[in-house]
Amino acid sequence: MKSDIEIAQKATMKPIIELAKTKLGIDSKYLEPYGHYKAKLSLDYLREIEKRPDGKLILVTAISPTPAGEGKTTTTVGLGDALNRIGKKAIICLREPSLGPVFGVKGGAAGGGHAQVVPMEDINLHFTGDFHAIGAAHNLLAAMIDNHINHGNELRIDPRLIQWKRVVDMNDRALRKIVIGLGGTANGFAREDGYDIVVASEIMAILCLATSLKDLKERLGRIVIGYTQVDRRPVYARDLKAHGAMAVLLKDAIKPNLVQTLENNPAFIHGGPFANIAHGCNSVTATRTALKLADYCVTEAGFGADLGAEKFIDIKCRMAGLNPSAVVLVATIRALKFHGGVRKEELNKENLDALARGMVNIEKHLTNIRDHYGLPCVVSVNHFTFDTDAEIKLLKDKIESLGGRFVVARHWAHGGAGAEDLAHAVIDVIEKSKKKHTYVYEDHLPLTEKIKTIATKIYGAGQVTFADAVKKQLDEWNKDYGHFPICMAKTQMSFTADPSVRGAPTGHTLNVREVRLSNGAGFVVAICGDLMTMPGLPKVPAAEKIDIDEHGNIVGLF
């Protein structure tokens, strides 16, 4: 069996200029090629097509993630290829991979098997340099903060209250907490600091929500970097006159990246905010562009439907005025058995009892999508060779008893041909549904009530508790930021804040231990449980298997 990278390296790619012209009707003058097979799309072109009608927006989400994996990106690619195979004009929109997971545990994020985007190596490594630009813009602001303090601190920034860390696009636990400015007065003032991974930067969230260069610059200027001494007033990036230079560094990064699938269908891959600390979706710019250029846009949201899909609806769609038409809920038999209590090492064995117990997880997600997001849903089971007929039938019967649509998809093994049933099912539910999506909460609710609504409706929590300082902070923010949506930050592995709790527990208590203001992005982050914004490498990182031969061929990337 060939590895993902071996399959990708055998692909016959079309020159991106040719693909853009033949598949999308885009003239070469609107493209900025990065080599032969990837290009950025000019913002001038986006303005030209903004009055075109929108196609249908399809969201791909999943059950609560497990070590067994679900295959959300693979399903997005497979469904996009399948829609094109059955005569529909479809474009997929994905997030860009971070180097941290690529060299850490998870590996790349370009799909898998015969449902991939290419050039796979470029996409998983430096791609078009967007993440480097975001890191540079973020660290420029960090440097300007310390420089301002060093040269007299006219803004009276309190060094103890600086909120802006540094970033690097790599997993490096040693950088989580550091001390800077050591070595004497020539090196500035000593203070505590730390690093986050680039995808956790507020600038990443801003880039993915900005609608133009003007909007980008305004959002950058609104970033709260810290607070003043004595009166603790917020200090903004615009106070440091940093936002113009930051926007300059991001002038190309804001443009969507165009690539292709293994079956030579167009794909936009742009942006990649953390699905915990931010909203976990590709850029608004890329999604809007795809909707203007195709009958169907297939996109994904990070983690399970309790995090990714909720933020897609309540943050991205709310801010950008997007109207999704349907949701694909991805699951695997293996992952559901894991939720039913089976150890990872035993997941390939038939276990109908464990599968039955684990179905509460997919049932809760399905209920959320239909009742709280108000959207029709197709359950797509990502097929593995060791799934038994009895297991598939048991899950199919359960989903259909709940009134859901059930499809077994084999795109990993067969590409678009293996997802044609899924494509037909998605089109069918779109054509039959007259519903418009609903938000989980309304804008006018106080911030604490928005948090409680998400926790009780989506997570099944019995109550929500707030640390005293958190409650006070939220009450203060209500005056200026009460209209902001909430970005819940918790483990993706469970409906609770405890990653070890599987299935779909109810009545639990969710404690909000910290809140953060992402003023430039335009949301309030509520942190529950432990949250890692700078991951570490595992004992055996994926980097140990990645290599390059004397001919420049990369191996071990997956």
Side-chain angles (χ1 to χ4, degrees), residues 26-97:
I26 302 175
D27 192 275
S28 61
K29 68 181 180 181
Y30 295 115
L31 295 169
E32 299 172 12
Y34 282 62
H36 299 294
Y37 304 111
K38 53 188 187 292
K40 281 190 169 290
L41 192 55
S42 163
L43 296 182
D44 292 335
Y45 182 73
L46 306 190
R47 286 188 286 270
E48 283 195 13
I49 64 174
E50 63 183 3
K51 294 189 184 305
R52 291 186 185 180
D54 286 342
K56 302 292 185 181
L57 180 58
I58 302 164
L59 173 65
V60 177
T61 186
I63 62 172
S64 300
T66 71
E70 291 70 52
K72 196 163 61 266
T73 302
T74 306
T75 299
T76 303
V77 178
L79 175 57
D81 281 339
L83 286 167
N84 282 291
R85 282 182 63 89
I86 65 173
K88 308 297 181 181
K89 188 176 183 180
I91 298 176
I92 64 170
C93 286
L94 300 172
R95 293 174 294 165
E96 298 179 48

Side-chain angles (χ1 to χ4, degrees), residues 145-146 149 157-166 191-193 224-227:
I145 293 168
D146 287 297
I149 294 172
I157 299 169
D158 191 330
R160 299 166 302 174
L161 300 176
I162 292 172
Q163 309 293 302
W164 198 252
K165 296 181 180 181
R166 270 105 172 140
R191 67 177 180 88
E192 291 185 10
D193 199 1
V224 175
I225 63 95
Y227 296 87

Side-chain angles (χ1 to χ4, degrees), residues 514-530:
E514 182 186 350
V515 286
R516 299 179 188 176
L517 177 63
S518 292
N519 193 43
F523 50 70
V524 170
V525 181
I527 299 173
C528 310
D530 294 330

Side-chain angles (χ1 to χ4, degrees), residues 476-484 519:
E476 290 175 359
W477 282 348
N478 266 322
K479 179 181 177 182
D480 295 320
Y481 313 112
H483 62 289
F484 277 8
N519 193 43

Side-chain angles (χ1 to χ4, degrees), residues 202 205-206 209 219 222-223 279 314-315 318-319 441 443 447 450 481-487 516-525:
E202 186 181 350
I206 287 171
L209 291 170
R219 287 174 178 270
R222 295 201 303 264
I223 292 172
H279 58 295
D314 283 315
I315 298 178
R318 191 190 300 261
M319 287 190 185
Y441 53 84
D443 282 334
L447 295 172
K450 290 175 181 176
Y481 313 112
H483 62 289
F484 277 8
I486 295 294
C487 180
R516 299 179 188 176
L517 177 63
S518 292
N519 193 43
F523 50 70
V524 170
V525 181

Side-chain angles (χ1 to χ4, degrees), residues 286-312:
T287 303
R288 279 182 167 175
T289 303
L291 288 169
K292 299 298 182 184
L293 293 172
D295 300 323
Y296 297 91
C297 168
V298 186
T299 191
E300 66 170 353
F303 297 147
D306 58 322
L307 283 175
E310 187 272 318
K311 294 175 185 180
F312 179 85

Side-chain angles (χ1 to χ4, degrees), residues 102-345:
V102 168
F103 292 110
V105 177
K106 186 178 178 182
H114 292 276
Q116 295 188 59
V117 280
V118 285
M120 181 260 223
E121 299 103 317
D122 293 3
I123 293 167
N124 277 317
L125 297 175
H126 301 286
F127 202 22
T128 57
D130 292 346
F131 283 22
H132 298 302
I134 291 166
H138 183 113
N139 291 331
L140 170 63
L141 179 55
M144 291 183 72
I145 293 168
D146 287 297
N147 184 65
H148 180 86
I149 294 172
N150 183 63
H151 288 289
N153 197 8
E154 182 181 345
L155 294 172
R156 296 184 295 116
I157 299 169
D158 191 330
R160 299 166 302 174
L161 300 176
I162 292 172
Q163 309 293 302
W164 198 252
K165 296 181 180 181
R166 270 105 172 140
V167 295
V168 63
D169 193 29
M170 197 59 64
N171 292 358
D172 193 346
R173 61 173 57 83
L175 294 177
R176 288 172 187 162
K177 294 184 182 297
I178 62 172
V179 177
I180 62 172
L182 299 179
T185 57
N187 297 328
F189 288 87
R191 67 177 180 88
E192 291 185 10
D193 199 1
Y195 273 79
D196 291 331
I197 194 167
V198 164
V199 290
S201 168
E202 186 181 350
I203 294 178
M204 176 67 82
I206 287 171
L207 183 87
C208 289
L209 291 170
T211 56
S212 65
L213 275 172
K214 181 175 182 290
D215 184 38
L216 173 69
K217 184 176 173 181
E218 290 176 350
R219 287 174 178 270
L220 293 171
R222 295 201 303 264
I223 292 172
V224 175
I225 63 95
Y227 296 87
T228 59
Q229 300 163 349
V230 184
D231 54 0
R232 297 199 172 189
R233 289 183 296 102
V235 181
Y236 302 97
R238 61 174 177 262
D239 295 330
L240 291 161
K241 299 180 176 62
H243 56 308
M246 294 163 68
V248 168
L249 287 171
L250 298 168
K251 70 178 182 64
D252 292 320
I254 194 175
K255 302 170 185 175
N257 305 300
L258 179 64
V259 290
Q260 61 193 289
T261 69
L262 290 174
E263 298 183 15
N264 307 123
N265 292 311
F268 286 115
I269 302 182
H270 193 218
F274 237 24
N276 286 113
I277 202 72
H279 58 295
C281 310
N282 72 289
S283 75
V284 166
T285 304
T287 303
R288 279 182 167 175
T289 303
L291 288 169
K292 299 298 182 184
L293 293 172
D295 300 323
Y296 297 91
C297 168
V298 186
T299 191
E300 66 170 353
F303 297 147
D306 58 322
L307 283 175
E310 187 272 318
K311 294 175 185 180
F312 179 85
I313 297 292
D314 283 315
I315 298 178
K316 181 174 179 176
C317 291
R318 191 190 300 261
M319 287 190 185
L322 299 174
N323 296 293
S325 296
V327 174
V328 174
L329 179 60
V330 179
T332 65
I333 299 289
R334 299 171 76 240
L336 289 171
K337 286 188 288 189
F338 183 84
H339 278 292
V342 175
R343 294 186 302 115
K344 184 179 178 181
E345 296 76 18

